[in-house]
Each structure stands twice: as C-alpha cells, then as structure tokens.
Amino acid sequence: MNKYRDIGFKLTPQRLAILDYLEGNQQHPSAEDIYRAVLKTFPTISFATVYTTLAALKQKGKLLELSTDPSKKRYDPDTSCHSHLFCVSCKRVFDMPGEHTPVLPESVKRDFSITRSHVEFHGLCAGCKKNKSETSKEVAHVHRS
Amino acid sequence: MNKYRDIGFKLTPQRLAILDYLEGNQQHPSAEDIYRAVLKTFPTISFATVYTTLAALKQKGKLLELSTDPSKKRYDPDTSCHSHLFCVSCKRVFDMPGEHTPVLPESVKRDFSITRSHVEFHGLCAGCKKNKSETSKEVAHVHRS
DNA sequence: GTACGTGCAAAGGTTTTGCATTACA
DNA sequence: TGTAATGCAAAACCTTTGCACGTAC
C-alpha cells in the first residue's frame, strides 16, 4: 500500500524518511546532508543507517552515486541519463541539459562491458561566475585608484 | 638544464623521482602508488611531499586528478582530452579512445564558466569480462551437475 | 640568504564495520 | 518468528596540516 514498496526492501520509518527526503531532490545531497535532514524527524538515526540505505538503493538502481564533487560522494535520485556540473566555488552540483551519450568504437564495445557512462563538468555556476566578475571589477577599480 | 625546468617549481630530488615515475605512466596511479614507487629510491619520502607535489603539478596544469575511482583519487600525467573507464572488478583505470567532447546549449555556455569536461565509463575491462564469463560457465556447469 | 620544500606526526573528514538490540514482513 | 535493519562506537581510509629543519635557486 506504499508507493515505495516496489523497491523491494524493508520499509522502516527511517528509510521512509530518507526516501521522502530524496524524492525529487535536485540538490545532489551528500550522506551528511541526508543524515542532517532525517535527524529533524528521527533524532536517533545514525550514519550507519543512512549509508546502508544508500547502498541498498544504489544496488537496486534507484539512486546514483556521484563522484563529481572530489571531496565527498553526492547522491542523485534521478537515475535518468544526464550530466552534472560541479561548481568549484560554491560546491553545488547542477544537472546539465543536453544529450552527451558518448560514442565508442566497436572494438571497445566488444572488449569491455560498460554499465554506465557519465559526463562531468567543472567550473563556475551562473551565480558564482557573476560574483567573481563583480569582484574582479572591484579589484580592478581598487588597483586603478 | 633539466627537462622539467619549465614546470616552474623547485626541482628537488624527491620531485624529480615523482616526475620520473609519472612521465608516460598510463596506470593512473593513486597517491599511495606514487608514494610506494618513490619510496624505493627515497626511503624517507613522506605523503606530505607526495601530496604537495601533486597539488603543485595539478595547479600548473601538468597533471589531471581523476575521480573515476570512487574510493580514492587517481592521477594522470596525460592532460590531453580523453576519457576513462573504471573497471569495477580489478579497480584499474583505462584510457578510452574516441572523441567525446560534449556539446552544450548556448544558454549554458553563456551562464556557466566551464573549465573542464570529462567522460567516465564504469564497467568491466576486457580481462575481467573474460574471467567473469568463464566463471559463469563454471557455475552453470556445477548447477547442471 | 631566503623563500619554499621536506618529513614526521597528528588531526580532519568521510565511509565502513562489529555487535547487541529492535522491528518489519 | 526469523531475517534484516538500527544505533552506537570504534576503526579504517584517504587526505591535509603544523612545525622544525633543510635545501634549491
């Protein structure tokens, strides 16, 4: 009777809270983000629970683990094919539009068994790009005076 | 008088050993791989030296830091545009041929400031794919008997 | 000579694990 | 009821940092 039943694992209240937090979430949260969010409704939840739940969801293909952020893993409930941009300034991860399915030579397709392809971009997001250019202007101004 | 002089940082014997190990290296070594390799000629080298040297090379654009292996950073002295495959079985990282420069919409190019794009593949390398299919055959055989 | 690199050890941050207890199915 | 999840704490890893000493330039 629960919308998450088809995942095929035990639906504990903690897991429901994690699933509710993840559903439709486009923030690409880290394990700690998820832990903190669920902590509000489950003051006793532990990282062990968070990590084992994430591992189970990953294994069932309901969650993507991103290594786009070099400092920690980020999670994405949107498992459809899309790319990501990591903003090196604000550390946020953004979904990127456009189709980037890489084309591989036949020889590679024959020899390797590829289960996933992923395109990553690093740079500045719109907000940080704007801030940075404004700061440069200020700096330039100071230098001029 | 040294071929590495143009990097523009102090050329200590430790750094020379690291540079020699990295040059032409297609293994995508981790920091520990590099540490262990240099340890043979420099029994006193420390991780601090390895990491600061890697950071300097990265900053000077002479080295790529890969997040293709989810468990640790891997380093690639080949900074030309190419893709990587991570073998989930043997944990090796392979260079992948073919051009996969992603095309982004104009709106994205205007709003974001992208400094790097990278295509990653996950799956099985040729050797592990072969091993795995042989193992399945054996398993199937056992189950039949 | 001086700024920068080295090496040691300790600390920091993320992720995993062992185990007794609890609870879903 | 039995299997699997929870929570706590400790440990395991990878990476960074502080500081005294040493060295390339």
Side-chain angles (χ1 to χ4, degrees):
Chain A
M1 203 55 225
N2 191 294
K3 61 178 169 175
Y4 296 123
R5 212 177 23 173
D6 71 315
I7 297 176
F9 69 174
K10 278 195 188 172
L11 277 180
T12 65
Q14 293 88 336
R15 288 187 164 182
L16 278 175
I18 293 174
L19 287 165
D20 281 338
Y21 175 71
L22 285 176
E23 187 173 41
N25 190 316
Q26 300 188 331
Q27 305 299 303
H28 309 90
S30 65
E32 185 174 4
D33 293 333
I34 297 165
Y35 171 75
R36 280 193 202 288
V38 178
L39 211 52
K40 291 174 189 164
T41 45
F42 270 91
T44 63
I45 200 168
S46 70
F47 270 104
T49 300
V50 172
Y51 277 110
T52 58
T53 300
L54 293 176
L57 289 171
K58 221 186 336 173
Q59 193 263 320
K60 289 173 186 306
K62 302 290 183 189
L63 186 69
L64 243 38
E65 186 177 82
L66 308 178
S67 49
T68 306
D69 177 346
S71 75
K72 65 185 80 155
K73 286 172 186 159
R74 310 278 290 253
Y75 297 89
D76 192 345
D78 176 3
T79 59
S80 70
C81 178
H82 63 294
S83 311
H84 294 100
L85 174 123
F86 175 67
C87 177
V88 297
S89 176
C90 66
K91 317 297 183 197
R92 280 184 292 183
V93 174
F94 296 82
D95 288 331
M96 293 299 263
E99 188 53 63
H100 313 123
T101 314
V103 180
L104 285 170
E106 277 306 316
S107 59
V108 170
K109 288 195 203 164
R110 191 182 56 238
D111 292 343
F112 293 78
S113 170
I114 294 169
T115 52
R116 185 184 166 203
S117 69
H118 184 224
V119 181
E120 305 189 334
F121 300 94
H122 282 214
L124 294 176
C125 70
C128 290
K129 180 185 178 186
K130 193 161 169 287
N131 281 345
K132 205 188 166 193
S133 68
E134 279 165 10
T135 307
S136 329
K137 279 178 205 161
E138 283 169 32
V139 169
H141 180 70
V142 167
H143 283 180
R144 262 199 309 278
S145 59
Chain B
M1 203 54 229
N2 191 295
K3 61 177 170 176
Y4 296 123
R5 212 177 22 174
D6 71 315
I7 296 176
F9 68 175
K10 279 195 188 171
L11 278 180
T12 65
Q14 293 89 334
R15 289 185 164 182
L16 278 174
I18 293 175
L19 288 165
D20 281 338
Y21 175 72
L22 285 177
E23 187 173 42
N25 190 318
Q26 300 187 331
Q27 306 298 305
H28 309 90
S30 64
E32 184 173 4
D33 293 333
I34 296 164
Y35 170 75
R36 280 193 201 288
V38 177
L39 211 52
K40 290 174 189 164
T41 46
F42 269 90
T44 62
I45 200 168
S46 70
F47 270 103
T49 299
V50 172
Y51 277 109
T52 57
T53 300
L54 293 176
L57 289 172
K58 222 187 334 176
Q59 194 263 320
K60 289 174 185 305
K62 302 292 183 186
L63 186 70
L64 244 40
E65 186 178 81
L66 307 178
S67 53
T68 308
D69 176 347
S71 75
K72 66 185 81 157
K73 286 172 187 160
R74 309 278 289 252
Y75 297 89
D76 192 344
D78 176 4
T79 59
S80 70
C81 177
H82 63 293
S83 310
H84 293 100
L85 174 124
F86 176 66
C87 177
V88 297
S89 177
C90 67
K91 316 297 183 197
R92 280 184 292 183
V93 174
F94 295 82
D95 288 331
M96 294 298 262
E99 188 53 61
H100 312 123
T101 314
V103 180
L104 285 170
E106 277 305 315
S107 59
V108 170
K109 287 194 202 165
R110 191 182 55 238
D111 292 343
F112 293 77
S113 170
I114 294 169
T115 52
R116 185 183 166 202
S117 70
H118 184 224
V119 180
E120 305 188 333
F121 300 95
H122 282 213
L124 294 175
C125 69
C128 290
K129 181 185 179 187
K130 193 161 168 285
N131 281 346
K132 204 187 167 193
S133 67
E134 280 164 9
T135 307
S136 328
K137 279 179 206 162
E138 282 168 32
V139 169
H141 180 70
V142 167
H143 283 181
R144 263 200 309 279
S145 59

